[in-house]
Amino acid sequence: SQQGEEDPQALSIQEGENATMNCSYKTSINNLQWYRQNSGRGLVHLILIRSNEREKHSGRLRVTLDTSKKSSSLLITASRAADTASYFCATDGTGGYSTLTFGKGTMLLVSP
Amino acid sequence: NAGVTQTPKFRVLKTGQSMTLLCAQDMNHEYMYWYRQDPGMGLRLIHYSVGEGTTAKGEVPDGYNVSRLKKQNFLLGLESAAPSQTSVYFCASSLGAVGANVLTFGAGSRLTVL
């Protein structure tokens, strides 16, 4: 069963707009990670946030983590057409901290 | 660096046939994983390995076997393929436990079982 669940399942925006995706999870974690998957490709790691961190930035990406609500959000600012992809959150904590459990993903479409 | 390489990239099998997917990584990573990705299901862990000679079951291990005889290779076997195993398979590796490390993924292997 999925540990993380992303919301929304799909998101369609215009270039230049911000995109926000949310992830909820069920059990205690050491860290939460976000990955991107372009169509037909493997997943690429974007950012890792530890359970004792509340916010992390990487370029146009901003990730927040609220362990009391067991939720995280990924914000992509000033979206570009090249950001079109599926985005997945992943958490440890359900496999003895040896494995990551992925959510079902948010499909982001950024139109020019 | 090649990173994580999966072979083959595409394969069509008939029900009951067997095959092996090969994953090779050149990053000296300890941990390796096999996931499957189905539409609307996200990624689900099949088996994983925390070091050479070790394997462990993931969320959906039935119908699959794995071996990690060499640190750089992780093989996924289907002994008797079934249509339900039609999927895209991803191999991944990490330097150490995912509590502090990230996964590097291969490009995927698309398997169709007729």
Side-chain angles (χ1 to χ4, degrees):
Chain A
S1 61
Q2 257 70 24
Q3 158 78 314
E5 292 289 341
E6 291 89 346
D7 171 62
Q9 291 185 344
L11 180 61
S12 183
I13 60 174
Q14 300 289 319
E15 267 192 328
E17 295 180 339
N18 296 340
T20 299
M21 289 158 266
N22 302 297
C23 170
S24 59
Y25 59 92
K26 297 173 184 173
T27 65
S28 298
I29 60 172
N30 280 325
N31 72 60
L32 184 144
Q33 303 182 26
W34 285 90
Y35 287 79
R36 183 186 75 219
Q37 183 181 34
N38 291 93
S39 181
R41 310 290 290 272
L43 280 74
V44 174
H45 176 259
L46 293 176
I47 198 163
L48 179 156
I49 186 166
R50 304 187 192 285
S51 59
N52 62 353
E53 297 175 311
R54 293 295 168 258
E55 188 170 312
K56 202 161 183 181
H57 296 256
S58 177
R60 293 184 295 113
L61 305 181
R62 172 179 171 255
V63 168
T64 62
L65 179 64
D66 186 336
T67 53
S68 67
K69 295 181 179 179
K70 292 186 168 61
S71 67
S72 173
S73 67
L74 170 67
L75 168 67
I76 304 174
T77 60
S79 296
R80 306 165 182 169
D83 294 327
T84 294
S86 292
Y87 292 82
F88 296 87
C89 69
T91 55
D92 62 4
T94 57
Y97 302 100
S98 293
T99 64
L100 283 183
T101 303
F102 286 80
K104 296 180 181 180
T106 292
M107 189 177 300
L108 173 66
L109 174 63
V110 182
S111 301
Chain B
N1 268 349
V4 178
T5 304
Q6 294 182 228
T7 53
K9 289 184 169 51
F10 302 94
R11 184 74 186 269
V12 179
L13 289 177
K14 294 181 179 178
T15 297
Q17 288 185 320
S18 63
M19 76 158 295
T20 300
L21 296 176
L22 170 65
C23 177
Q25 53 93 5
D26 61 0
M27 298 170 288
N28 202 34
H29 283 180
E30 286 294 333
Y31 288 48
M32 297 187 74
Y33 310 84
W34 277 107
Y35 287 89
R36 61 177 288 175
Q37 185 176 34
D38 302 292
M41 297 293 294
L43 278 83
R44 292 181 292 169
L45 183 65
I46 305 171
H47 285 280
Y48 66 100
S49 168
V50 299
E52 180 178 310
T54 75
T55 62
K57 294 180 180 180
E59 180 186 354
V60 289
D62 294 343
Y64 304 96
N65 56 75
V66 287
S67 65
R68 184 105 181 262
L69 298 180
K70 293 183 178 181
K71 185 177 183 179
Q72 63 267 34
N73 295 336
F74 196 29
L75 278 64
L76 178 69
L78 285 73
E79 293 179 344
S80 179
S84 61
Q85 294 177 305
T86 293
S87 188
V88 181
Y89 293 85
F90 288 98
C91 177
S93 68
S94 63
L95 186 62
V98 292
N101 295 282
V102 305
L103 299 187
T104 300
F105 280 84
S109 297
R110 184 175 293 274
L111 174 65
T112 301
V113 183
L114 303 176

